[in-house]
Amino acid sequence: MTDFCSLHVRSDVHGALPSGFLKKRKKIDLLFVDNESPERLASFIRLRKKGATHTAPPRYHWSFSSDGYVEGFDVMKHLVWILDRVQPGFMLSTLEDAGYQCWLQFYWEGNGTGGGPIVTAEIAGVLALHKVDLQFGFYLEQESA
């Protein structure tokens, strides 16, 4: 099973992340999407032609995850890895105050037998400190036939 946590930041007005947000020396694979790039606009047109409807997302979107860096399904370990890439003392709520949207997402892959991630008091405290939401995506692991 592969479980990981991602940090998402997006904005309609800011084309760059704020300075002093991320540590420069820490390894991350920062993904960036401009939803008004020719490639993305063409993708939206193809989807509309197939009958899909969607609300336009904010123009700029950045994300990175603990995928490939943290093993196991301990939510706190993944959360700590994510937050260790942020400058000390930088609260994620600062992004909201500066006109960005920000949230954490945890990808949980299960085998369909029940159970799931535990949001401990420690995790809740970290989320409350940063005033950031944590979204869970649950996926069923399917064995190949």
Side-chain angles (χ1 to χ4, degrees):
M1 291 190 285
T2 303
D3 304 300
F4 60 89
C5 187
S6 300
L7 175 65
H8 296 269
V9 179
R10 62 186 189 182
S11 174
D12 262 332
V13 295
H14 301 292
L17 290 170
S19 62
F21 166 45
L22 295 175
K23 293 178 181 176
K24 302 279 187 236
R25 66 184 189 280
K26 291 289 185 174
K27 172 75 172 132
I28 61 171
D29 296 317
L30 185 65
L31 302 175
F32 171 72
V33 174
D34 178 349
N35 284 309
E36 292 184 13
S37 70
E39 297 83 14
R40 292 292 288 172
L41 292 174
S43 172
F44 296 146
I45 290 169
R46 285 191 304 274
L47 287 170
R48 272 195 303 276
K49 285 181 180 177
K50 292 184 178 196
T53 59
H54 82 293
T55 305
R59 179 169 182 179
Y60 306 107
H61 186 140
W62 300 265
S63 65
F64 66 93
S65 78
S66 62
D67 189 23
Y69 296 102
V70 179
E71 294 293 322
F73 51 85
D74 183 329
V75 176
M76 190 63 181
K77 285 182 182 178
H78 289 271
L79 187 57
V80 164
W81 186 92
I82 292 285
L83 294 175
D84 190 43
R85 270 72 201 146
V86 175
Q87 286 287 356
F90 190 98
M91 295 291 112
L92 295 180
S93 59
T94 305
L95 293 169
E96 297 277 342
D97 297 340
Y100 296 86
Q101 295 173 327
C102 173
W103 73 96
L104 293 157
Q105 183 174 22
F106 197 89
Y107 172 96
W108 180 276
E109 188 175 290
N111 59 9
T113 60
I118 297 172
V119 179
T120 63
E122 182 181 24
I123 292 168
V126 170
L127 298 173
L129 177 69
H130 282 275
K131 296 181 184 171
V132 65
D133 294 332
L134 174 60
Q135 175 184 12
F136 285 92
F138 297 93
Y139 299 89
L140 176 62
E141 178 184 302
Q142 305 247 340
E143 294 291 326
S144 301

